[in-house]
Amino acid sequence: MGDWVSASVPYLGPQGPGGRDVWGAETAARGRRGTQRILHAGEAWATADVAALLGMPEGDEVVVRRRIMFLDDEPWELTDTYYPARIARGTGLAGTAKIRGGAVTLLAELGYVGVRAREEVAARMPTEEEAALLQTVPDEPVLRLTRATLDAADAPIQADIMTMPAHRQRLRYELRIG
């Protein structure tokens, strides 16, 4: 399973009318089954990490969607997605129901379209909770990918913090030069 390659680009744009589950489609194209379970959704206070990603003061209100991603029924990734409360409060982003077309599509329908993303990847040891949710042992490192999605005015509209077992992942980036 260490040959799994993931790229961020398919997850950054709206899926259009009818939408599609990008994770499910990506895994199905490789003959696998990708599902997800929402662990929590609702309002919270921005931690220092989240505040930095969203360009707001620590302690400001955000909406968070906490999910666990599965590949063939194996816990694959923990994904926490945060939105400024002024954008997401009272929308489907604040609830646990599946969002038709995905969260990025709903954001676009609300008038918030990402045009640029900043990502950072770091390795570290998992917390006890992360190891339990990912069904790994505490001495197996995880990758932590953080992403800020920005709109045309360079304002952050979404922040993602993803945690995944390092031995199961290979991240791929393609950059245009010039």
Side-chain angles (χ1 to χ4, degrees), residues 39-89:
L39 301 174
H40 170 79
E43 293 189 28
W45 306 110
T47 63
D49 287 349
V50 171
L53 288 167
L54 289 174
M56 63 174 44
E58 184 176 350
D60 269 13
E61 289 181 278
V62 294
V63 167
V64 60
R65 287 176 66 86
R66 231 167 232 177
R67 295 164 292 156
I68 185 166
M69 314 302 282
F70 294 90
L71 181 63
D72 298 332
D73 298 321
E74 180 178 14
W76 204 252
E77 177 181 292
L78 305 174
T79 302
D80 295 347
T81 303
Y82 300 87
Y83 309 93
R86 65 178 172 70
I87 291 175
R89 180 180 284 131

Side-chain angles (χ1 to χ4, degrees), residues 129-172:
E129 179 186 25
E130 290 167 342
L133 287 169
L134 292 168
Q135 297 177 4
T136 62
V137 294
D139 64 347
E140 289 182 39
V142 293
L143 295 178
R144 181 177 188 251
L145 187 149
T146 60
R147 176 190 305 135
T149 303
L150 301 103
D151 66 13
D154 232 22
I157 58 172
Q158 177 177 318
D160 298 288
I161 299 176
M162 294 158 269
T163 305
M164 57 204 87
H167 71 281
R168 295 182 195 159
Q169 300 293 329
R170 205 171 73 213
L171 306 175
R172 180 182 65 223

Side-chain angles (χ1 to χ4, degrees), residues 4-23:
W4 185 260
V5 177
S6 182
S8 297
V9 173
Y11 298 91
L12 297 175
Q15 299 308 307
R20 68 184 178 116
D21 172 5
V22 178
W23 173 241

